[in-house]
Amino acid sequence: MTDNPFLTPSELPYGLPDFAAIREEHFRPAFDQGVAEHLAEVAAIVADPEPPTFENTIAALERSGRTLNRVETVLHTLAGSDATEAVQELERELSPKATRHRDAIYLDRGLWDRIKRVTTSDPEEATLLERYRLDFVKAGADLDEAGQERMRELNAELAELGTEFSRNLVQASTESALVTEDVADLDGLDEAQIQAIESDGKYVLPLLNTTVQPALAQLTDRATRERLYTLSVERAPRNREIAVRVAAIRSEQARLRGYPDHASFKVADQTAKTVEAVEERLGRLVGPARRNVESEAAALAEHAGHDIEPWDWPYYAEQVRKARYDLDESELRPYFELGRVIEDGVLYAATRLYGITFTERSDLRGYHEDVRVWEVFDGDGTALGLFLLDPYARPTKRGGAWMHNLVEQSFLLDEKPVVVNNLNITKPVSGPTLLTFDEVETAFHEFGHALHGLLSSVRYPRVEGTSVPRDFVEFPSQVNEMWATWPEILANYAKHHETGEPVPTELLDRLAAAEKFNQGFGTFEYLAAALLDWSWHRLAPGTVVEDPEAFETEALERVGALHPLVRPRYRTSYFMHVFSNDYSAGYYSYVWSEVLDADSVEWFNENGGLTRENGDRFRRYVLSVGGSVDPMRATAEFLGREPRLEPLLRRRGLA
Ligand SMILES: [Zn+2]
């Protein structure tokens, strides 16, 4: 036990976990010890003979559970990014235990009684105290014995179902992969893509997480497209039953907590606040988006010379894009080399806006040899934290792109942030990694979350950086996407990987025009997914869903989001966000945040764009405060007025 690296704070810079020293046999004993330590700390808080104060109760809770936090952080990092079978087994075993442990704390009557008696006049303390009270009420602290017991049972079941749902999806990406021995089926893919998926004379094209697979835009063979699309929308059928059960559990929990359904419970502490507010906004967008889909579909059919099917849409959209804007994605890729995009694009933009600088620390290692580590410094040279980038897809990584913290910033624990960005870019067998423009935007997006974590400047870990309402958290990351196409930033990173030539301006003009194309499709597939998530979580307690596929169809139909050519971005069986992660009744958040994003982008444009002054203002009001103040008030202060919906409508062609 003495050489278990989880049991003492890491001695590496910024508390970066010592991945080289961590072995699989360290997790279980450290987890058990972490739980025991945390329970002892909480018991000591409850037993304190002094009357409850902010310091001896809330601040003491913020300081507690450090060992457990270290183990869980590393376990979840590996489970998401490099999940070997041993790691999956560990997660399966420890996640229900972690759930029981959290329940033991949130349902501790002595602790809840103390928290209710804490008072404070300090505004930051008051925000945190309110946060704690909500956490406890939501967990069921006010329930009677029987209610709490039921809550525990349901939480345990949910944790297991979430893990199973996610494991089924990881398996489905290869089990439902498109497999062929005939390379002619793959006509349209480029040489490097074909090389990357060839093994033993077979070609295996794994599924990415969304309904539309990127290869659909390239594959010339219609039958192959149909096969790939069908594999995608029918993957992980076992997850449908899991989704039914998860939704039923959530609605029962909502009833226990005194809410009519799970969605009402979830939005109560979001910036949206009520289900009506969410439904009003989604409802206002879906009709115009549908009209855009219709006119786009007509253009695609006209170009194809025949009616199109859902698997044809990305292909003909690409054809029309080429014809109208003369833009071929493969023309652009040579200008988007990964290293340049990151260092001369993403990081450079942050330097220009916030004055922060980055020094690569090749002496520090992440959990995988492909992870790069940078030390981040403020304009005056003060060390700010570490940034880790894990760019590549691998069979042991889940789909999509995300940010998370390995260490959270807080003055209380005297800790600086260690932040990770995960992308899913295919690693070439040899040669440079060239990105699509989508992947470039994703890199900027995720780094917007990273900035939220890195520039956090708060006292308490519970409200650091990205610990804000779910329907607010995408706002800073979406704003950061604007710098990907900002002329001075583009000129700095978009250079040909062989010749160093800057990307031709006319190619960029065509890109900008083409970006507006096919927006009806993008908006509609997103809204359909948001409404599908919403329907599963508006179910009244006791509602029995017999046929999840029929439920999906009816739910979409009812709100005008069922379209024969455009399926939701995620269907029920692979809607990881809402059935495994905690985005339930929260997928609407992206468009909710985008209202603030579109408005802020206009603000930057009207106020001189890429300047240190503007960066500092965004940092002061939005990025540095995390969840320590009311985020909507902070945004209104940044804008100098209340946010408006119109910029979003204009941007998405819905005005
Ligand atoms: Zn995001």
Side-chain angles (χ1 to χ4, degrees):
M1 277 299 263
T2 48
D3 63 352
N4 189 320
F6 288 123
L7 298 186
T8 48
S10 163
E11 282 169 17
L12 293 177
Y14 303 90
L16 175 71
D18 189 355
F19 290 106
I22 293 168
R23 289 190 302 278
E24 278 147 15
E25 63 265 30
H26 293 139
F27 285 90
R28 280 186 194 87
F31 181 91
D32 290 340
Q33 182 164 330
V35 165
E37 269 177 32
H38 196 198
L39 289 175
E41 287 160 343
V42 169
I45 294 169
V46 176
D48 191 335
E50 295 295 318
T53 62
F54 187 88
E55 179 56 31
N56 73 19
T57 304
I58 302 296
L61 280 170
E62 288 283 279
R63 287 192 184 91
S64 70
R66 305 315 298 159
T67 302
L68 184 59
N69 181 279
R70 287 193 291 271
V71 187
E72 289 194 303
T73 300
V74 171
L75 182 59
H76 291 140
T77 299
L78 296 182
S81 301
D82 198 10
T84 58
E85 271 181 39
V87 166
Q88 286 179 350
E89 178 52 38
L90 275 166
E91 199 190 30
R92 197 148 52 230
E93 179 190 328
L94 297 180
S95 105
K97 285 189 184 177
T99 303
R100 277 199 298 279
H101 172 62
R102 256 181 287 281
D103 281 345
I105 291 176
Y106 284 104
L107 300 179
D108 183 314
R109 291 190 187 282
L111 183 58
W112 179 221
D113 183 56
R114 269 188 91 84
I115 291 172
K116 281 194 280 196
R117 288 188 288 141
V118 171
T119 56
T120 176
S121 54
D122 174 274
E124 193 174 349
E125 289 183 0
T127 307
L128 181 63
L129 178 58
E130 182 53 26
R131 190 67 261 164
Y132 264 86
R133 289 202 167 125
L134 262 169
D135 287 348
F136 273 74
V137 170
K138 285 164 63 181
D142 281 327
L143 294 178
D144 62 14
E145 251 352 287
Q148 290 199 347
E149 185 46 38
R150 184 67 184 145
M151 197 62 111
R152 279 190 205 95
E153 277 171 31
L154 294 172
N155 282 339
E157 195 184 344
L158 263 186
E160 283 182 29
L161 291 170
T163 311
E164 202 184 331
F165 192 95
S166 141
R167 201 173 54 243
N168 286 343
L169 277 186
V170 173
Q171 278 172 9
S173 89
T174 46
E175 270 173 16
S176 297
L178 179 91
V179 182
T180 180
E181 288 176 14
D182 185 359
V183 73
D185 289 347
L186 303 176
D187 183 56
L189 299 188
D190 62 46
E191 214 37 59
Q193 286 175 291
I194 292 178
Q195 262 183 30
I197 62 167
E198 195 266 315
S199 78
D200 302 330
K202 275 197 304 193
Y203 303 90
V204 181
L205 188 62
L207 290 182
L208 299 187
N209 57 339
T210 48
T211 292
V212 169
Q213 300 295 305
L216 287 172
Q218 299 168 277
L219 292 163
T220 60
D221 182 57
R222 207 174 180 197
T224 307
R225 291 202 299 265
E226 181 174 0
R227 263 178 68 206
L228 178 60
Y229 184 85
T230 308
L231 285 163
S232 177
V233 297
E234 290 180 0
R235 82 183 90 162
R238 277 172 307 178
N239 275 352
R240 292 185 199 127
E241 289 310 316
I242 297 181
V244 168
R245 182 65 195 138
V246 167
I249 291 175
R250 286 177 177 154
S251 67
E252 184 179 344
Q253 289 186 317
R255 185 176 48 89
L256 284 169
R257 293 167 173 129
Y259 291 88
D261 52 51
H262 182 71
S264 306
F265 157 68
K266 285 294 276 198
V267 296
D269 69 338
Q270 297 295 299
T271 68
K273 296 216 163 37
T274 66
V275 289
E276 289 76 17
V278 174
E279 287 165 6
E280 194 270 330
R281 186 161 299 171
L282 294 179
R284 196 165 156 187
L285 301 175
V286 75
R290 196 181 177 94
R291 282 194 290 282
N292 291 357
V293 161
E294 295 303 343
S295 65
E296 287 170 11
L300 300 192
E302 192 189 323
H303 184 92
H306 57 74
D307 281 351
I308 58 164
E309 298 289 342
W311 43 88
D312 297 325
W313 188 299
Y315 180 77
Y316 287 111
E318 188 57 25
Q319 300 298 308
V320 172
R321 196 199 310 269
K322 277 182 201 166
R324 265 195 210 167
Y325 309 102
D326 192 24
L327 188 77
D328 182 347
E329 273 283 342
S330 59
E331 269 183 88
L332 276 165
R333 289 181 62 173
Y335 297 95
F336 298 145
E337 187 273 317
L338 175 65
R340 274 213 164 122
V341 168
I342 297 301
E343 288 174 280
D344 301 339
V346 173
L347 303 185
Y348 174 72
T351 301
R352 292 287 303 271
L353 280 163
Y354 308 109
I356 60 177
T357 58
F358 303 83
T359 307
E360 185 153 17
R361 292 284 305 258
S362 23
D363 58 314
L364 298 177
R365 53 164 286 177
Y367 47 85
H368 187 278
E369 59 179 9
D370 286 339
V371 178
R372 293 176 68 183
V373 184
W374 284 269
E375 189 168 9
V376 189
F377 298 94
D378 213 342
D380 63 1
T382 316
L384 276 176
L386 291 179
F387 171 62
L388 282 69
L389 176 70
D390 181 2
Y392 293 119
R394 62 180 74 96
T396 53
K397 196 195 253 195
R398 64 179 167 90
W402 66 95
M403 165 274 191
H404 75 287
N405 280 69
L406 288 171
V407 178
E408 293 177 330
Q409 182 274 331
S410 78
F411 298 128
L412 182 79
L413 303 175
D414 194 22
E415 287 186 329
K416 293 183 171 182
V418 177
V419 167
V420 189
N421 270 179
N422 266 278
L423 306 174
N424 254 296
I425 295 163
T426 306
K427 191 177 181 179
V429 178
S430 60
T433 304
L434 303 178
L435 274 52
T436 63
F437 183 67
D438 260 5
E439 289 168 334
V440 171
E441 275 192 323
T442 302
F444 276 87
H445 175 98
E446 293 309 328
F447 196 71
H449 289 304
L451 285 167
H452 207 177
L454 288 165
L455 298 179
S456 174
S457 182
V458 301
R459 253 188 285 169
Y460 303 104
R462 177 68 184 81
V463 290
E464 65 72 48
T466 54
S467 304
V468 293
R470 190 56 37 98
D471 64 3
F472 183 82
V473 76
E474 295 301 327
F475 161 47
S477 53
Q478 288 170 341
V479 167
N480 204 54
E481 291 176 31
M482 76 180 283
W483 309 114
T485 49
W486 196 261
E488 291 158 87
I489 303 297
L490 254 175
N492 200 57
Y493 77 87
K495 294 177 182 163
H496 197 283
H497 70 101
E498 281 168 336
T499 64
E501 287 293 309
V503 62
T505 343
E506 58 85 26
L507 191 55
L508 290 175
D509 292 343
R510 282 186 279 140
L511 174 69
E515 280 278 285
K516 296 211 189 320
F517 174 70
N518 211 33
Q519 277 216 13
F521 181 93
T523 304
F524 193 84
E525 69 158 5
Y526 162 76
L527 287 171
L531 288 158
L532 178 61
D533 161 37
W534 197 251
S535 302
W536 277 111
H537 297 107
R538 282 284 267 150
L539 288 173
T543 311
V544 182
V545 175
E546 302 278 1
D547 179 348
E549 290 231 271
F551 173 83
E552 180 175 310
T553 306
E554 284 156 23
L556 293 171
E557 171 101 75
R558 200 169 50 243
V559 289
L562 185 69
H563 195 283
L565 292 177
V566 189
R567 284 260 178 63
R569 188 172 163 81
Y570 303 95
R571 296 191 65 206
T572 301
S573 72
Y574 48 95
F575 211 157
M576 177 90 176
H577 290 77
V578 305
F579 292 110
S580 180
N581 300 341
D582 195 25
Y583 253 85
S584 56
Y587 200 64
Y588 79 88
S589 303
Y590 290 91
V591 81
W592 197 269
S593 302
E594 200 185 332
V595 173
L596 305 181
D597 159 33
D599 202 359
S600 298
V601 167
E602 286 203 358
W603 184 94
F604 271 105
N605 279 314
E606 286 160 6
N607 287 276
L610 182 81
T611 66
R612 278 297 314 285
E613 201 186 350
N614 288 346
D616 285 347
R617 184 178 171 94
F618 194 60
R619 176 178 180 173
R620 180 166 72 248
Y621 287 113
V622 178
L623 296 175
S624 69
V625 297
S628 68
V629 300
D630 172 19
M632 290 309 285
R633 210 184 61 215
T635 305
E637 278 172 34
F638 162 70
L639 292 168
R641 55 170 168 73
E642 290 303 312
R644 303 166 305 194
L645 182 63
E646 288 65 28
L648 171 88
L649 298 178
R650 280 196 290 277
R651 173 197 282 191
R652 292 209 167 233
L654 303 171

